[in-house]
Amino acid sequence: MQHSTAQQITDAMIHTGEVLSESEFKILSDRVHRGEGIVSLSRNPHTPRFLIVVYNATRTFSIAILNAVRQQGYQASLIGI
């Protein structure tokens, strides 16, 4: 019998209190990607305080991702799932 590894891909939006420079965003993205289950972290250049994270909800939680952003010293809040 084969066991399937179910994935539940979802996304969340995180608002940062500050606008991250390109280099700050790159560093943050690299660090967030170290977390298990992260698919992508992106932002729209027209709304740079809003980060969109796509992740596998069977392997991590939105609060863990938010905490990873906060651990880098940024003010951040989860505003949508």
Side-chain angles (χ1 to χ4, degrees):
M1 177 195 297
Q2 286 185 327
H3 294 281
S4 65
T5 54
Q7 292 189 13
Q8 184 180 353
I9 304 300
T10 190
D11 60 15
M13 185 178 295
I14 296 173
H15 180 266
T16 59
E18 47 277 308
V19 175
L20 283 63
S21 69
E22 285 301 317
S23 62
E24 290 170 326
F25 178 74
K26 171 75 170 107
I27 291 167
L28 176 64
S29 181
D30 289 346
R31 291 186 178 157
V32 168
H33 272 96
R34 291 179 190 165
E36 191 172 341
I38 304 300
V39 175
S40 69
L41 178 69
S42 62
R43 66 179 177 174
N44 183 316
H46 301 290
T47 55
R49 291 180 190 227
F50 295 94
L51 309 178
I52 303 296
V53 62
V54 178
Y55 63 98
N56 181 342
T58 63
R59 300 185 65 196
T60 192
F61 298 98
S62 58
I63 192 69
I65 301 164
L66 176 63
N67 287 336
V69 172
R70 289 177 174 168
Q71 286 173 357
Q72 299 309 307
Y74 298 111
Q75 297 177 14
S77 49
L78 188 63
I79 59 168
I81 296 177

